[in-house]
Amino acid sequence: MEHVEFYKRFPLLVPETLDPLKADGYIETPEGERVRITIDASTHGTYCVDIVKSTLEVEELLQSKKAELDVRFQQCASGLSFVKELQHSLAGVSTLQKKISQFYGQIVKECDEQVGWDRVESFDKKTQIMRLKLKDAAGREHSVYVDLSSNVFSSNVEENSVSMESTKLTRYLETLEERCSHLVESWDLLDDIDSTLCVLQPQHPKRHELWRRIAVTSLHTALIDVSPDRSFPKLTVYGPRTTTLPLNARAKAVRTLWSPTKSARQNIECILQCTLPSAVFDHKDIKLECGVCFAFVCEKETADQVCANDVCAQPFHRTCLVQWLKSKEDTRQSFTTLFGKCPYCGGNITVGS
């Protein structure tokens, strides 16, 4: 009799045995959402949350109320009453399922048929983020992220994410592979810079960041801008004006003097005609902290405004210096340029606001 009632109440859930309950199939939530369920009470000898296997969102819902549900499930006298109680506990899971991703099936199918599951490194159930690996021609491994909670693709190769509505995973990977192929030589140069020169910024560079700020002397830094569309980097030197002008004049020769057969250090030292510091950054050796806030980096801004007095040569963040000068009564302003006194030596100093 119980078999008949079970089939009537749950026609899509097929029981192998009712005592202990072993069943597989589908049941409907209170909202009418159909979910896949596997039940095996023989593994625990009692009715509890752990005997239920289902979709990720269902299992997370049950586990979140495990203590309460286990008490209710253990009071069930039969397999039928347990499934009834289980069905009641699935209230709200339809909302969770909609939140997971409408692209879940598409991603799984692409991994099955084209991408390959061997490229999947991990899947975080809580964040719903799948991480895949991508290797470029130089053997560097990059990470690709499939965010099923936000329905976007992203990677460490590009700064911006891409909506799953605009492209498929397969096409996104193909685009990234083309991008990696285009950037191999740029990354070779940046890796050389990172390993041999004193890099000040970015402190933890990402692959899409194609620039480096390096120390040149105790008073000078240089911005190296790398582009896959140029055979040489763009080089700009910052520091005291009187000494920076000749250095930047030499930096303009980078187009003709840069040699791909030389290292980054050899090229820059040849162009600027100076010896660059070692890769180990030491604040004691290089004067880079802002004279107002005493930090090197402030909200991603480097202290690149330098007092024109070579004896002083104190660097400042532009923002810090502007705020300082605006607070002083003797500061003059012409259009967007402020004329005032250096907070350190009292010499004349100007900055664009």
Side-chain angles (χ1 to χ4, degrees):
M1 192 68 181
E2 186 178 357
H3 278 82
V4 176
E5 188 177 352
F6 194 100
Y7 287 131
K8 286 182 178 180
R9 183 65 183 269
F10 306 105
L12 298 179
L13 183 63
V14 181
E16 181 180 333
T17 61
L18 286 177
D19 188 19
L21 179 61
K22 293 182 68 175
D24 183 58
Y26 296 85
I27 63 175
E28 289 188 354
T29 67
E31 296 87 1
E33 189 82 15
R34 187 177 294 176
V35 296
R36 180 67 184 269
I37 290 285
T38 300
I39 303 170
D40 188 356
S42 65
T43 58
H44 287 71
T46 185
Y47 296 120
C48 61
V49 167
D50 293 335
I51 70 172
V52 180
K53 301 298 178 186
S54 184
T55 59
L56 177 65
E57 60 273 17
V58 170
E59 290 188 12
E60 287 190 344
L61 177 66
L62 296 177
Q63 289 293 332
S64 69
K65 303 185 289 183
K66 178 175 169 56
E68 171 194 344
L69 292 177
D70 279 348
V71 173
R72 286 163 48 189
F73 289 163
Q74 288 169 11
Q75 296 174 351
C76 296
S78 65
L80 178 60
S81 61
F82 166 72
V83 178
K84 289 179 180 178
E85 191 66 42
L86 174 63
Q87 183 182 46
H88 179 72
S89 69
L90 295 179
V93 76
S94 58
T95 305
L96 288 173
Q97 286 184 317
K98 290 175 183 177
K99 287 182 179 179
I100 288 299
S101 178
Q102 59 189 6
F103 300 99
Y104 183 84
Q106 172 190 311
I107 299 299
V108 171
K109 183 178 180 181
E110 287 189 81
C111 288
D112 277 338
E113 299 177 356
Q114 295 167 290
V115 176
W117 288 102
D118 57 318
R119 297 182 66 174
V120 178
E121 290 193 310
S122 63
F123 181 75
D124 190 314
K125 293 182 178 180
K126 291 185 178 180
T127 62
Q128 290 291 292
I129 295 178
M130 177 189 293
R131 185 160 67 96
L132 295 87
K133 58 185 176 182
L134 185 151
K135 187 174 290 188
D136 64 28
R140 300 182 188 88
E141 287 197 353
H142 308 280
S143 294
V144 180
Y145 302 97
V146 180
D147 189 338
L148 291 166
S149 62
S150 302
N151 294 334
V152 295
F153 301 120
S154 62
S155 74
N156 65 338
V157 176
E158 296 184 330
E159 185 174 4
N160 298 321
S161 59
V162 177
S163 171
M164 293 182 186
E165 294 181 350
S166 63
T167 188
K168 291 185 176 181
L169 175 59
T170 308
R171 180 56 189 153
Y172 180 70
L173 290 174
E174 289 174 353
T175 303
L176 284 184
E177 287 169 351
E178 292 172 5
R179 175 72 173 160
C180 288
S181 177
H182 192 50
L183 288 169
V184 165
E185 291 185 1
S186 296
W187 286 335
D188 288 342
L189 173 56
L190 290 168
D191 286 348
D192 181 23
I193 292 171
D194 290 337
S195 62
T196 62
L197 301 181
C198 180
V199 176
L200 307 174
Q201 283 184 294
Q203 294 182 338
H204 303 287
K206 298 178 176 61
R207 283 299 177 190
H208 63 77
E209 295 174 317
L210 302 180
W211 61 275
R212 296 293 186 268
R213 190 69 171 267
I214 67 166
V216 176
T217 71
S218 60
L219 299 176
H220 300 86
T221 65
L223 178 64
I224 304 173
D225 184 11
V226 178
S227 170
D229 300 321
R230 292 193 307 263
S231 59
F232 56 90
K234 184 179 179 181
L235 191 62
T236 307
V237 181
Y238 296 89
R241 180 177 176 81
T242 55
T243 52
T244 299
L245 287 175
L247 286 174
N248 274 321
R250 296 172 199 155
K252 291 180 180 179
V254 66
R255 180 189 298 269
T256 55
L257 295 181
W258 190 272
S259 171
T261 61
K262 294 181 180 179
S263 68
R265 173 179 288 276
Q266 290 172 330
N267 273 301
I268 297 173
E269 288 182 341
C270 174
I271 293 167
L272 299 183
Q273 299 175 24
C274 66
T275 301
L276 298 175
S278 66
V280 179
F281 177 60
D282 190 341
H283 285 271
K284 296 179 181 179
D285 297 335
I286 307 173
K287 190 176 183 180
L288 295 168
E289 289 80 7
C290 172
V292 175
C293 71
F294 304 107
F296 170 56
V297 179
C298 177
E299 296 182 355
K300 296 185 178 180
E301 181 183 348
T302 308
D304 56 12
Q305 303 299 304
V306 183
C307 176
N309 181 354
D310 290 347
V311 177
C312 174
Q314 175 63 47
F316 303 94
H317 296 117
R318 180 184 298 275
T319 303
C320 295
L321 186 56
V322 167
Q323 291 177 349
W324 173 276
L325 293 178
K326 284 185 175 181
S327 70
K328 300 302 175 182
E329 294 181 355
D330 59 350
T331 297
R332 296 180 297 106
Q333 183 168 356
S334 176
F335 298 100
T336 59
T337 302
L338 297 174
F339 300 84
K341 301 296 182 181
C342 171
Y344 263 57
C345 71
N348 293 331
I349 194 168
T350 62
V351 63
S353 59

